[in-house]
Amino acid sequence: MIKPYVRQGEGEEVISPLQWMDEDMSSPDGDTSVSSHHYRASGTNPQVREMGSEDAEEDEEDEEEGQEDENKSKRRGPKKKRMTKARQERFRARRVKANARERSRMHGLNDALENLRTIMPCHSKTQKLSKIETLRLARNYICALSEALEGGLSTESRAFMETLCKGLSQPTTNLVAGCLQLGPTPGAGMRPEDRHGVRAPPPPLGGMVSYSSPGLPSPPYGTFDSAHLLHLRAMKGGAYENHSPHEYNAGGVGTPPYDGPPTPPLSISSNLVPKQEPSPHYPPPHHYSPSPVEQGLYQTQSGYDVHLEGPYNTYHPPHMPPRHITSVYRD
DNA sequence: TAGGCCATCTGGTCCT
DNA sequence: AGGACCAGATGGCCTA
């Protein structure tokens, strides 16, 4: 359920305790569309003002209170409670507690996002996906895996890659593309920090494998966790193939035993798998443009657009040849 | 230096 | 009354 959000200034005037305490506070103009960067000069934002010299302010409030009494009959709305010093202290204490809770809540949210990052198909210690990109990639990943499970999409196909990269930013697309590329030299094209911990071939099944293309300049490629797709392959072609998808959803008798790395829950129900058609909500109408992968283009950090040809090798062992670079464009 | 991303503070709203 | 959730505002950090 979406809670209605009533902007200040649109409805009845609401005076918050802080505003009430701050006698010279000007009411917000309600224009929330202005970028916060345009407010930088401020110190004028009432929310940021310090609560200092409360005693002095309270004295001034007393004077204002007297003036206000004269206009009281003209004022609408609920009668304001007098903000005594004790009330101020209680309010302050409540605010401090609320801040701590809010911090804790956001940390929990960030922890969840971090967990989500670790099960994404590409994971880089040095180039962390932003929050929004993590969510977009997760959404794409679920869609791609669901389509793959339904049999309509090969994990090696270009379409799989395209689904994975839909709506992602250029850097994230590069990261994903780099992660999903093959190369005989693990660690090539990575930052030195990223090479740490990268295992040499042959890659262990289910391990974190660094895929990179020696033919490309050096975007900050991360690692591609092949475990997820290997798991997927096992489900598709292995012992689980005879089970109906619903058995997995139910998590009942047909649930395959799997003690590997955490795998995203696979939604197989078709109504949970949105088709890759333009929707009013996704991709965002104002920011979406066909991703480079959709166009077959990767823009490298050196300013080249690399056109890749052939299937996207997602979880092949490194002995597979890298994709061919058929053409290179320059801006 | 502009812009992206983030953490934090804050007030409003809803719910228990 | 107080907690959870949300969104706006702000400043800091980083990068192109």
Side-chain angles (χ1 to χ4, degrees):
Chain A
M1 173 181 149
I2 300 174
K3 287 190 286 186
Y5 179 68
V6 181
R7 287 160 59 160
Q8 275 185 321
E10 288 180 348
E12 283 193 0
E13 181 186 3
V14 176
I15 300 182
S16 69
L18 268 185
Q19 285 178 313
W20 194 82
M21 281 187 287
D22 202 347
E23 78 286 351
D24 66 348
M25 182 166 301
S26 56
S27 63
D29 59 11
D31 183 7
T32 57
S33 64
V34 180
S35 163
S36 63
H37 283 241
H38 298 154
Y39 270 120
R40 289 284 166 87
S42 73
T44 57
N45 186 336
Q47 292 185 355
V48 181
R49 295 190 53 172
E50 289 295 327
M51 300 276 295
S53 65
E54 290 178 354
D55 292 349
E57 286 187 7
E58 195 173 21
D59 291 341
E60 292 173 15
E61 279 168 18
D62 290 341
E63 294 176 7
E64 293 248 332
E65 191 77 10
Q67 296 173 1
E68 207 167 305
D69 284 341
E70 297 175 5
N71 302 328
K72 196 170 283 181
S73 58
K74 301 175 186 175
R75 266 210 124 114
R76 293 186 178 184
K79 186 179 178 182
K80 290 183 296 185
K81 281 187 179 178
R82 180 182 173 82
M83 186 61 86
T84 63
K85 196 170 183 178
R87 271 174 57 83
Q88 283 185 26
E89 286 173 359
R90 260 183 293 141
F91 178 82
R92 193 64 230 165
R94 207 164 62 226
R95 210 43 263 178
V96 168
K97 272 178 70 179
N99 289 345
R101 279 196 311 271
E102 180 66 9
R103 265 198 309 273
S104 168
R105 196 180 69 86
M106 296 310 294
H107 288 165
L109 191 59
N110 290 339
D111 287 346
L113 264 169
E114 193 53 47
N115 287 336
L116 189 57
R117 284 189 187 102
T118 63
I119 63 168
M120 285 295 100
C122 67
H123 185 55
S124 170
K125 288 175 186 172
T126 53
Q127 196 190 23
K128 205 168 73 169
L129 287 176
S130 71
K131 293 179 177 180
I132 185 68
E133 292 293 272
T134 299
L135 293 176
R136 285 181 181 140
L137 180 58
R139 187 265 189 195
N140 291 351
Y141 191 35
I142 291 170
C143 286
L145 289 178
S146 297
E147 288 185 17
L149 271 180
E150 284 179 333
L153 196 60
S154 165
T155 54
E156 303 175 34
S157 67
R158 171 184 292 264
F160 186 86
M161 183 70 171
E162 288 172 353
T163 302
L164 213 51
C165 293
K166 238 170 199 157
L168 298 183
S169 69
Q170 182 71 64
T172 308
T173 300
N174 287 344
L175 181 68
V176 174
C179 288
L180 299 190
Q181 285 178 58
L182 288 177
T185 56
M190 299 171 65
R191 291 174 179 176
E193 317 86 91
D194 272 344
R195 290 181 200 158
H196 179 73
V198 171
R199 300 176 192 172
L205 293 182
M208 294 292 283
V209 183
S210 168
Y211 292 143
S212 60
S213 167
L216 291 175
S218 307
Y221 296 153
T223 55
F224 169 60
D225 190 351
S226 62
H228 308 316
L229 295 181
L230 287 170
H231 181 209
L232 176 68
R233 172 179 261 180
M235 290 179 72
K236 284 190 69 180
Y240 316 135
E241 196 173 38
N242 292 334
H243 295 281
S244 80
H246 301 290
E247 290 179 85
Y248 301 133
N249 273 353
V253 181
T255 303
Y258 180 69
D259 55 2
T263 304
L266 299 175
S267 170
I268 305 179
S269 172
S270 58
N271 59 358
L272 294 179
V273 184
K275 298 301 176 188
Q276 294 302 316
E277 295 171 352
S279 84
H281 303 297
Y282 182 87
H286 298 306
H287 299 94
Y288 177 76
S289 61
S291 76
V293 170
E294 289 174 88
Q295 306 167 41
L297 289 174
Y298 295 107
Q299 186 172 45
T300 68
Q301 286 196 324
S302 58
Y304 287 93
D305 281 338
V306 180
H307 185 262
L308 298 169
E309 187 180 74
Y312 291 87
N313 302 309
T314 51
Y315 55 82
H316 301 301
H319 67 266
M320 293 283 288
R323 280 170 290 160
H324 300 295
I325 299 176
T326 57
S327 53
V328 177
Y329 304 96
R330 178 134 191 144
D331 285 335

